[in-house]
Amino acid sequence: MIPFYRRSQGAVEPIIEARPGWIAAHLRHCLPALRGTLPQRKTLTRYRIGMGNRLSKITTRTGDDGSTGLGDGRRVGKDALRIAAIGDVDELNSHLGVLLAEPLPPEVHAALTAIQHDLFDLGGELCIPGHSMIGEAQIAQLDRWLAEYNATLPPLKEFILPGGARAAALAHVCRTVCRRAERTMVALGREETLNAAPGRYVNRLSDLLFVLSRVLNRAAGGTDVLWHNTRA
C-alpha cells in the first residue's frame, strides 16, 4: 500500500494508504479540491512528484497479515466483498488488455481503450467508499456504442456459442468476467451503500461486449457460432 500526502506546516506527511493502481484516478478527481489546502504551485508540484516516486515502490509488506487498505484509510480483509469487487473489475480490465493486443478495427480499439480508463475509475470508486467516479456520461457512451454496433448486425434468431475468431472469443471472456464483477457488486450493495451508476455501467458493458464479439467475428471474415439445440 502507498500513502497519500498532505501539506502540514510546510511539510508533506502521509495521511492514508491506497493501492498504486488507483492513485492516479483519485488524484485526477481530487487535486482541484486540494488546491485549497495546497495553494502554492510549487507545493502542488512537489505533491505530484512525491506521488510519482511512491508509485515505484510496489512491495510494502502491509498486506502480509491478509488485510489491505481502502482509499479512506480503513483496513479490511483481502476476502472482503469490496475487495472481491475491486479484484473482479481489475481482472476484467486485464482481460480487455489481452483483447486489445489482438488486431482490431481501429474504432473498436479506441472504444475498448476508453472503457479501460472507465474501469480504472470504477476501481477507484470502489476503493474509496462514498466517492463517485462513474456517472451518466460513461453510461450514455456505452448506450451509443451499443446502438451503433448493433445496427450493423443481423437480428439473432438462435443462441450463439462463445467462439469464432480469437478476438471474438476473448470478447466473450471479457463479457463473462464483467458479469461476475456485476454479481459481486450486487452482493456488496446488499451489505454497503453503493452508487447506482457503477452497477448500471457494468450491466451495459456486458451487453456491449456481447455485441462486439459478433462484430469482431465479422471483422475477421466469419460469422456467429450458432448453438444447435438438436445434435446428431
Side-chain angles (χ1 to χ4, degrees), residues 75-109:
R75 295 197 68 80
V76 298
K78 291 184 177 181
D79 58 348
L81 266 177
R82 184 172 290 273
I83 302 304
I86 292 170
D88 286 344
V89 171
D90 189 26
E91 183 181 348
L92 170 57
N93 216 344
S94 298
H95 280 295
L96 283 174
V98 177
L99 175 54
L100 281 163
E102 294 291 313
L104 301 174
E107 66 278 6
V108 173
H109 191 282

Coordinates of all heavy atoms in Angstrom, one line a residue, residues 75-109:
R75 N -8.6 -0.5 7.0 CA -8.1 -1.8 6.5 C -9.1 -2.9 6.6 O -9.9 -2.9 7.6 CB -6.8 -2.1 7.4 CG -5.7 -1.2 7.2 CD -4.4 -1.7 7.6 NE -3.9 -2.8 6.8 CZ -3.3 -2.7 5.6 NH1 -3.1 -1.4 5.1 NH2 -2.9 -3.7 4.9
V76 N -9.2 -3.7 5.6 CA -10.2 -4.7 5.6 C -9.5 -6.0 5.1 O -8.4 -6.0 4.6 CB -11.4 -4.4 4.6 CG1 -12.1 -3.2 5.1 CG2 -10.8 -4.2 3.2
G77 N -10.2 -7.2 5.3 CA -9.6 -8.4 4.9 C -9.6 -8.5 3.4 O -10.5 -8.0 2.7
K78 N -8.6 -9.2 2.9 CA -8.5 -9.3 1.4 C -9.6 -10.2 0.8 O -9.8 -10.2 -0.4 CB -7.1 -9.9 1.0 CG -6.0 -8.9 1.3 CD -4.6 -9.5 0.9 CE -3.5 -8.5 1.1 NZ -2.2 -9.0 0.6
D79 N -10.4 -10.9 1.7 CA -11.5 -11.6 1.2 C -12.8 -10.9 1.4 O -13.9 -11.4 1.1 CB -11.6 -13.0 1.9 CG -11.7 -12.8 3.4 OD1 -11.5 -11.7 4.0 OD2 -12.0 -13.8 4.1
A80 N -12.8 -9.6 1.7 CA -14.0 -8.8 1.9 C -14.6 -8.6 0.5 O -14.0 -8.6 -0.5 CB -13.6 -7.4 2.5
L81 N -16.0 -8.5 0.5 CA -16.7 -8.3 -0.7 C -16.3 -7.1 -1.5 O -16.2 -7.2 -2.8 CB -18.2 -8.2 -0.4 CG -19.0 -9.5 -0.5 CD1 -20.5 -9.3 -0.1 CD2 -18.9 -10.2 -1.9
R82 N -15.9 -6.0 -0.9 CA -15.5 -4.8 -1.6 C -14.2 -5.1 -2.3 O -14.0 -4.7 -3.5 CB -15.3 -3.6 -0.6 CG -14.9 -2.3 -1.4 CD -15.0 -1.2 -0.4 NE -16.3 -0.8 0.0 CZ -17.1 0.0 -0.7 NH1 -16.7 0.6 -1.9 NH2 -18.3 0.3 -0.3
I83 N -13.3 -5.8 -1.7 CA -12.0 -6.2 -2.3 C -12.3 -7.2 -3.5 O -11.6 -7.1 -4.5 CB -11.0 -6.8 -1.3 CG1 -10.8 -5.7 -0.2 CG2 -9.7 -7.1 -2.0 CD1 -10.3 -4.4 -0.7
A84 N -13.2 -8.1 -3.3 CA -13.5 -9.0 -4.4 C -14.1 -8.3 -5.6 O -13.7 -8.6 -6.7 CB -14.6 -10.0 -3.9
A85 N -14.9 -7.3 -5.3 CA -15.5 -6.5 -6.4 C -14.3 -5.7 -7.2 O -14.3 -5.7 -8.4 CB -16.5 -5.5 -5.9
I86 N -13.4 -5.1 -6.4 CA -12.3 -4.4 -7.0 C -11.5 -5.4 -7.8 O -11.0 -5.1 -8.9 CB -11.5 -3.7 -5.9 CG1 -12.2 -2.6 -5.2 CG2 -10.1 -3.2 -6.4 CD1 -11.6 -2.0 -4.0
G87 N -11.2 -6.6 -7.3 CA -10.5 -7.6 -8.0 C -11.1 -8.0 -9.3 O -10.4 -8.2 -10.3
D88 N -12.4 -8.2 -9.3 CA -13.1 -8.6 -10.5 C -13.1 -7.5 -11.5 O -12.9 -7.8 -12.7 CB -14.6 -8.9 -10.1 CG -14.8 -10.2 -9.4 OD1 -13.8 -11.0 -9.4 OD2 -15.9 -10.4 -8.8
V89 N -13.2 -6.3 -11.1 CA -13.0 -5.2 -12.1 C -11.6 -5.1 -12.6 O -11.4 -4.9 -13.8 CB -13.4 -3.8 -11.4 CG1 -13.1 -2.6 -12.3 CG2 -14.9 -3.8 -11.1
D90 N -10.6 -5.3 -11.8 CA -9.2 -5.3 -12.2 C -9.0 -6.5 -13.2 O -8.3 -6.3 -14.2 CB -8.3 -5.5 -11.0 CG -6.9 -5.3 -11.3 OD1 -6.5 -4.6 -12.3 OD2 -6.0 -5.8 -10.5
E91 N -9.6 -7.6 -12.9 CA -9.4 -8.8 -13.8 C -10.1 -8.5 -15.1 O -9.5 -8.9 -16.2 CB -10.1 -10.0 -13.1 CG -9.9 -11.3 -14.0 CD -10.5 -12.5 -13.3 OE1 -10.9 -12.4 -12.1 OE2 -10.7 -13.5 -14.0
L92 N -11.2 -7.9 -15.1 CA -11.9 -7.6 -16.4 C -11.0 -6.6 -17.2 O -10.8 -6.8 -18.4 CB -13.2 -6.9 -16.1 CG -14.0 -6.2 -17.3 CD1 -14.2 -7.2 -18.4 CD2 -15.3 -5.6 -16.8
N93 N -10.4 -5.6 -16.5 CA -9.6 -4.7 -17.3 C -8.3 -5.4 -17.8 O -7.9 -5.1 -19.0 CB -9.1 -3.6 -16.3 CG -9.0 -2.2 -17.0 OD1 -9.0 -2.1 -18.2 ND2 -8.9 -1.2 -16.2
S94 N -7.8 -6.4 -17.1 CA -6.7 -7.1 -17.6 C -7.1 -8.0 -18.8 O -6.3 -8.1 -19.8 CB -6.1 -8.1 -16.5 OG -5.7 -7.3 -15.4
H95 N -8.2 -8.6 -18.8 CA -8.7 -9.3 -20.0 C -8.9 -8.4 -21.2 O -8.6 -8.8 -22.3 CB -10.0 -10.1 -19.6 CG -9.8 -11.4 -18.9 ND1 -9.1 -12.4 -19.4 CD2 -10.2 -11.7 -17.6 CE1 -9.1 -13.4 -18.5 NE2 -9.7 -13.0 -17.4
L96 N -9.4 -7.2 -20.9 CA -9.5 -6.3 -22.0 C -8.2 -5.9 -22.6 O -8.0 -5.7 -23.8 CB -10.2 -5.0 -21.5 CG -11.7 -5.1 -21.3 CD1 -12.3 -3.8 -20.7 CD2 -12.4 -5.3 -22.7
G97 N -7.1 -5.9 -21.7 CA -5.8 -5.6 -22.2 C -5.3 -6.7 -23.2 O -4.7 -6.4 -24.2
V98 N -5.7 -8.0 -22.8 CA -5.3 -9.1 -23.7 C -6.1 -8.9 -25.1 O -5.5 -9.1 -26.1 CB -5.6 -10.4 -23.1 CG1 -5.4 -11.6 -24.1 CG2 -4.8 -10.6 -21.8
L99 N -7.4 -8.6 -25.0 CA -8.1 -8.4 -26.2 C -7.6 -7.3 -27.1 O -7.5 -7.4 -28.3 CB -9.6 -8.1 -25.8 CG -10.6 -7.7 -27.0 CD1 -10.5 -8.8 -28.1 CD2 -12.0 -7.5 -26.5
L100 N -7.1 -6.2 -26.4 CA -6.5 -5.1 -27.1 C -5.2 -5.4 -27.8 O -4.7 -4.7 -28.7 CB -6.4 -3.9 -26.2 CG -7.6 -3.1 -25.9 CD1 -7.5 -2.2 -24.7 CD2 -8.0 -2.2 -27.1
A101 N -4.6 -6.5 -27.4 CA -3.3 -6.9 -28.0 C -3.6 -7.6 -29.4 O -2.6 -7.9 -30.1 CB -2.6 -7.9 -27.1
E102 N -4.8 -7.9 -29.6 CA -5.2 -8.5 -30.9 C -5.4 -7.5 -32.0 O -5.7 -6.3 -31.7 CB -6.5 -9.3 -30.8 CG -6.5 -10.5 -29.8 CD -5.6 -11.6 -30.4 OE1 -5.8 -12.0 -31.6 OE2 -4.8 -12.1 -29.6
P103 N -5.3 -7.9 -33.3 CA -5.6 -6.9 -34.3 C -7.1 -6.6 -34.3 O -7.9 -7.5 -34.4 CB -5.2 -7.7 -35.6 CG -4.3 -8.7 -35.2 CD -4.7 -9.1 -33.8
L104 N -7.5 -5.4 -34.2 CA -8.9 -5.0 -34.0 C -9.2 -3.8 -35.0 O -8.3 -3.0 -35.3 CB -9.2 -4.5 -32.6 CG -9.0 -5.5 -31.4 CD1 -9.2 -4.8 -30.1 CD2 -9.9 -6.7 -31.6
P105 N -10.4 -3.7 -35.4 CA -10.8 -2.4 -36.1 C -10.5 -1.2 -35.3 O -10.7 -1.2 -34.0 CB -12.3 -2.6 -36.3 CG -12.6 -4.1 -36.2 CD -11.6 -4.6 -35.2
P106 N -10.0 -0.2 -35.9 CA -9.5 1.0 -35.1 C -10.6 1.6 -34.2 O -10.3 1.9 -33.0 CB -9.1 2.0 -36.2 CG -8.8 1.2 -37.4 CD -9.7 0.0 -37.3
E107 N -11.8 1.6 -34.6 CA -12.8 2.2 -33.8 C -13.2 1.3 -32.6 O -13.5 1.8 -31.5 CB -14.1 2.5 -34.6 CG -14.8 1.3 -35.1 CD -14.2 0.7 -36.4 OE1 -13.2 1.2 -36.8 OE2 -14.9 -0.2 -37.0
V108 N -13.1 0.0 -32.7 CA -13.3 -0.9 -31.6 C -12.1 -0.8 -30.6 O -12.3 -0.7 -29.4 CB -13.4 -2.4 -32.1 CG1 -13.5 -3.3 -30.9 CG2 -14.6 -2.5 -33.0
H109 N -10.9 -0.7 -31.1 CA -9.7 -0.5 -30.3 C -9.9 0.8 -29.4 O -9.6 0.8 -28.2 CB -8.5 -0.4 -31.1 CG -7.2 -0.5 -30.4 ND1 -6.7 0.6 -29.6 CD2 -6.3 -1.5 -30.2 CE1 -5.6 0.2 -29.1 NE2 -5.3 -1.0 -29.3

